[in-house]
Amino acid sequence: MSVDESSSLHQAIPIDRIKYDDRGLVPAIVQDYLDGTVLMMAWMNRESLQKTLATGETWFWSRSRQEFWHKGATSGHIQHVRDLRYDCDSDALLVSVEQIGDIACHTGERSCFHQIAATTVAPPADTLSDLYQTICDRRDHPREGSYTQTLFAGGDNKILKKIGEEAVEVVMACKDDRPQEIAGEAADLFYHTLVALAHHHVSIRDVYRELQKRRK
């Protein structure tokens, strides 16, 4: 972690303003910095928050063991802090991280929040990521009557033809300054581009990483 990054985190969180409970703890919600998936929730005290700010990696306080807990110290699944903020009441933290290994839960799941009615279900991410996962599922488990499946069956010729058509539709809608149509045509373009990504086995997370580099 660079000096500038460490300084930025310290400036983002004024430790003295955080409201800890009567045990000296504050809840910290951890989310993926790329797609917003909630990965876990743990507790920090003043010292573990200081360690997090100083190292750029998450440190928590274990209530059961009554000791500091450096996330990933044993498993290797450490969390690089990309952003850290506190809520309007200063009594909860939101930590955006780059999760090494893409596993935050001790069970081996990506997120600790993976259970619905005793069934393992991946937690929701942003809309594009969720749609991309559905598209990949159609690619790997074809369903009769699925439009997405017909695109995969047609290969690059069909998929790329649709991208070209939808790009033109976006241009025309913008040219005519029709906001509702622009939104609809852009959605069509995004969707068909996601199909192309899935067809070529390019992860949407790789696209997000490229976009992160352009946030200037």
Side-chain angles (χ1 to χ4, degrees), residues 6-18:
S6 177
S7 175
S8 177
L9 288 179
H10 274 284
Q11 292 172 3
I13 301 294
I15 293 179
D16 292 336
R17 288 185 56 184
I18 300 303

Side-chain angles (χ1 to χ4, degrees), residues 21-67:
D21 65 16
D22 55 7
R23 300 164 299 175
L25 301 175
V26 61
I29 301 166
V30 182
Q31 67 175 166
D32 185 281
Y33 85 105
L34 286 177
D35 65 16
T37 297
V38 176
L39 300 176
M40 58 180 287
M41 178 271 174
W43 297 91
M44 289 185 178
N45 58 17
R46 182 186 178 92
E47 291 74 20
S48 64
L49 177 55
Q50 287 177 320
K51 286 178 176 288
T52 297
L53 295 174
T55 64
E57 297 176 1
T58 53
W59 285 76
F60 304 104
W61 177 255
S62 172
R63 294 173 300 169
S64 59
R65 300 192 302 271
Q66 288 293 294
E67 63 182 16

Side-chain angles (χ1 to χ4, degrees), residues 99-117:
Q99 176 66 65
I100 302 304
D102 206 25
I103 295 175
C105 185
H106 72 282
T107 64
E109 293 292 333
R110 181 188 184 201
S111 168
C112 294
F113 297 95
H114 60 264
Q115 300 185 93
I116 297 179

Side-chain angles (χ1 to χ4, degrees), residues 65-83:
R65 300 192 302 271
Q66 288 293 294
E67 63 182 16
F68 291 114
W69 164 33
H70 181 199
K71 175 64 179 173
T74 301
S75 66
H77 299 149
I78 61 176
Q79 295 171 340
H80 293 300
V81 179
R82 302 295 294 258
D83 184 58

